[in-house]
Each structure stands twice: as C-alpha cells, then as structure tokens.
Amino acid sequence: MKGIKIVIALLFINGIIGCHQPGKKEPLKDDTKPKIDSTVVFTLQSAALDKTVSLPGELLPNEKVQVYGKVSGYVKKIFVDIGSPVKQGQVIAILDAPEMQSKIAESKQRLASVKAKWISSTDVFKRLAEASKSDGVIAPTDLEKAKNQVASDAALVEAAQSELNAVQQTADYLTLRAPFTGIVTKRNVDAGAYVGKAAEMPLFEIEDNSSLRLRIAVPEAMTGTKVKDEKVQFTIKAIPGKKYEGKLSRKSGSLDVNTRSEVWEFVINNNDHSLKAGMFADCKINIQRDGKSFFVPFSAVVTTLEKKFVIKVQNNITSWVDVGQGVNATDKAEIFGKLDEGDTLVLKGNEELKADTKLLVKIAKH
C-alpha cells in the first residue's frame, strides 16, 4: 500500500512539472516595410555626330547615249564595233536612202525656178521704174503691181531655200557620228539592215567611262548630315584588296517616296579604265552633323505603333517626351525632341511606366 502511494505521488509531481514546461516560441511579426525597387536613370548629354557608315553604291558612266537612225534607210557601212574607242564627231556608220537624193534634186530645181522668176520680176520692175520717170508713160498702179510681184517672188525664193536646207540637213542624218569621246559598248545592227522604224533597238550605245558616277541611296535619317572632306572610300568585289576614292559632286535634292532615300553622286577618276560601269561598290562615308546631338542607349527609346518617346524624370515624377530618331551609333541612338542637356531619362523605358508616376531613381554607373 505504501508503494502505490509513492507511485501516485511521482506521477502527480511529473504532471505538475509538465504543465509548467515552457512551450515553443511563436514567430515574431516582421514590422519592416516592403522594399521598393529603384528605377535606373541616366543624365542626358550632348555629343557631336561623327560616324563612318557603310552603304551600297553603283557605278554609272559619266555619259551614255543610244544612237538611233533619225531617217529611214539601209545601213551602208559600219566603222566601229563593241569596245571601239571613238572621238567626238567621228563617223561610226553611214546609211543609204536613194529617195533622199531625189528630194534634194527636187528642192534644188524648185529653188532655181522661183529664183529665175524673181530675177525676171525684178528686171521688169526696174524697167518700169526707169520708164516712170517720164510723165504719163507708166501708170502708178502698174509700177506698184510690179513692185509687189518682186516682193512675192523674193518670198518664194526664201521659202525654197529653207526647204532645200531642211532636206540637206535631213540627208546629213544618214551619216551617224559619235556625240562625245568614249567607247562603243553595244552594236545591234549589221550592214544592209533597214533602220529608222518605230520602236526599234538603238543601233549603237556609247559610254564615256573616263570618269564614273558613284551613285549612293542615302537613308532619310542621314540626309541632314554632311560628308567629311566630301570624300567616299569604296571597294569592288571584282577587284579585291584595292580601295578607291571619290569626291561628292551633287545631291538629288529630293527623296524617293518608295525607298525614303536621297541619291548622292560622287565623281570617280577612271583614266586607267580599271572600273566598269555597272559595278556595285561597298562604300564607306564619314558623316558629320553641324552642332551637337543627343545620343541615348537603345533601351531608353520606347517605340509604339503611334510614336517614339523617352521617359523623362523630374522631381521623381515621370513624363513622356516624343522624339524623332536620327543616325544610330554602335550602341546608341541619336534622338531629337524637346530635351535639354542634363535632363534625367529612364535607362530602360517601357509603355507600362506611365506619365506622372512617382519613382525612386538610381543613377546608372558609366
């Protein structure tokens, strides 16, 4: 009985100790405020545009002409072929048109006839004028009539002479001559062929390749720039390892509505005739712009279907500023808009960052 009491006492004491044993600690509440992410910004700075751009170009002859037969006839003789060098005024072919000689003969006969009539009427007028010096011999109306006849016949002589000159000038078209010094690049006719028909191919093509025109289509964004020293350097795939140079000669002054580009033309000296018209060139142009420009990282420019803009931050409040884009540098874009040097812009802009949003900003490290 005494042992049972001892066991019960031990169990009672153990239960009391278990009730007073400290339990697990409850987690402490985190009273710290949620962390706000900062937006990276940068300070806008101006810089001069000085960039070398690569553009494709095409070499064209300085002068090019297609020679047609101005009158109908048969090719009597040809003096040149493709590759033949020619001088200005040199005869390259002769045409034959027998009916032209008949027209010349008719015109000469007509001129001789009216000239004889004019000589006769002039002689009559002189005799009447001499006789009219005696009173009552020649009526004044007869003298006036003879005078008018002389004037009429003189007009016919002038008309016949003009007709003969026109026929002879047309006959000169039977001799085809080179309009300038150059080289024959095409020949599409042989001796004996009939020429002068409508819509026929040109008989010859002649090009002046002593100097060439390098024509480059410059994108609209670059048309407001200038070329450093007005020079271009280019290479030709057909002539590897050799660099050529040309000088800016002219600009078209208008944009092609399809390509949104302006044609710039450079003059290339080609006295050694190593370059050929029709070759394509890989061109490098160093372009510059008067005054300063703003260049920003590509990520700062937000492009939508309606516009392009950057996000400006002033007093930690955002605003959208519309911009136009100019020439792209290696890692930056040239922009234009209502901006000033020293403005703060968001480095990585996006449409979700609306205007009038308050930000915690962080200056980007250069």
Side-chain angles (χ1 to χ4, degrees):
M1 189 71 180
K2 185 178 180 179
I4 295 172
K5 290 180 179 179
I6 294 173
V7 172
I8 292 173
L10 291 173
L11 291 173
F12 179 76
I13 293 170
N14 188 46
I16 293 173
I17 293 173
C19 290
H20 288 82
Q21 186 177 1
K24 295 181 180 178
K25 294 182 178 180
E26 294 182 1
L28 297 176
K29 293 183 179 179
D30 189 2
D31 295 332
T32 57
K33 295 181 180 180
K35 185 178 180 181
I36 301 175
D37 292 335
S38 58
T39 301
V40 181
V41 298
F42 66 96
T43 302
L44 184 64
Q45 294 181 343
S46 63
L49 174 63
D50 190 345
K51 178 185 178 183
T52 299
V53 296
S54 297
L55 295 171
E58 182 181 7
L59 291 172
L60 301 174
N62 183 46
E63 291 182 288
K64 179 180 180 179
V65 67
Q66 295 179 327
V67 181
Y68 289 87
K70 293 185 178 180
V71 294
S72 299
Y74 293 91
V75 178
K76 184 176 182 180
K77 197 168 185 179
I78 296 176
F79 299 97
V80 296
D81 210 327
I82 61 170
S84 299
V86 293
K87 298 290 185 181
Q88 184 177 11
Q90 178 180 332
V91 177
I92 58 177
I94 295 177
L95 307 182
D96 186 24
E99 64 276 8
M100 191 62 64
Q101 300 302 323
S102 300
K103 289 182 180 180
I104 293 176
E106 290 176 6
S107 296
K108 286 182 177 180
Q109 290 175 358
R110 189 176 298 108
L111 177 60
S113 176
V114 296
K115 186 175 287 188
K117 189 176 180 181
W118 170 71
I119 291 173
S120 176
S121 61
T122 302
D123 183 61
V124 170
F125 172 71
K126 287 181 179 179
R127 285 189 284 107
L128 291 177
E130 187 66 27
S132 66
K133 293 179 180 178
S134 300
D135 293 337
V137 177
I138 302 296
T141 55
D142 292 339
L143 185 62
E144 187 65 25
K145 184 178 179 180
K147 182 179 179 181
N148 292 339
Q149 186 63 48
V150 171
S152 176
D153 292 342
L156 291 175
V157 170
E158 186 176 351
Q161 184 64 60
S162 297
E163 180 184 350
L164 177 60
N165 292 340
V167 174
Q168 288 178 332
Q169 185 176 7
T170 303
D172 289 341
Y173 293 152
L174 295 173
T175 302
L176 304 183
R177 302 177 183 274
F180 50 76
T181 299
I183 187 171
V184 179
T185 58
K186 287 186 181 179
R187 168 191 161 183
N188 300 316
V189 69
D190 294 309
Y194 182 76
V195 299
K197 298 175 290 185
E200 70 177 0
M201 294 181 64
L203 308 186
F204 304 93
E205 284 190 13
I206 300 175
E207 295 181 1
D208 174 14
N209 293 328
S210 58
S211 64
L212 296 174
R213 300 169 184 256
L214 176 60
R215 194 165 288 178
I216 302 174
V218 178
E220 182 178 4
M222 300 182 189
T223 55
T225 63
K226 63 180 182 180
V227 180
K228 184 178 181 180
D229 299 327
E230 296 190 338
K231 291 182 179 179
V232 61
Q233 290 187 337
F234 64 96
T235 57
I236 303 293
K237 290 183 179 179
I239 312 175
K242 188 170 183 179
K243 292 184 179 180
Y244 297 89
E245 190 175 270
K247 188 172 181 63
L248 180 64
S249 175
R250 58 191 67 86
K251 299 180 180 180
S252 66
S254 177
L255 292 182
D256 185 301
V257 295
N258 296 317
T259 62
R260 306 304 304 169
S261 62
E262 180 186 22
V263 173
W264 290 5
E265 207 169 75
F266 297 79
V267 175
I268 313 299
N269 190 323
N270 191 38
N271 287 330
D272 61 354
H273 295 279
S274 62
L275 298 172
K276 313 297 180 185
M279 285 181 166
F280 290 103
D282 296 321
C283 310
K284 293 189 181 299
I285 307 175
N286 190 320
I287 57 173
Q288 299 175 330
R289 195 188 300 279
D290 293 330
K292 299 287 186 177
S293 300
F294 293 126
F295 289 90
V296 299
F298 292 118
S299 61
V301 182
V302 183
T303 302
T304 67
L305 294 176
E306 295 82 17
K307 61 182 179 179
K308 291 185 178 182
F309 63 92
V310 294
I311 301 175
K312 179 180 174 181
V313 180
Q314 187 173 12
N315 298 324
N316 292 340
I317 303 297
T318 62
S319 61
W320 287 7
V321 180
D322 293 344
V323 295
Q325 197 161 340
V327 180
N328 289 338
T330 304
D331 56 349
K332 292 185 178 181
E334 183 184 28
I335 60 171
F336 306 96
K338 294 181 179 180
L339 297 167
D340 297 307
E341 188 167 8
D343 285 346
T344 302
L345 303 181
V346 174
L347 180 62
K348 295 182 179 181
N350 59 76
E351 289 184 84
E352 296 178 358
L353 186 54
K354 303 298 183 182
D356 298 323
T357 301
K358 189 169 184 179
L359 296 179
L360 177 62
V361 298
K362 176 182 178 182
I363 302 297
K365 295 181 180 179
H366 296 286

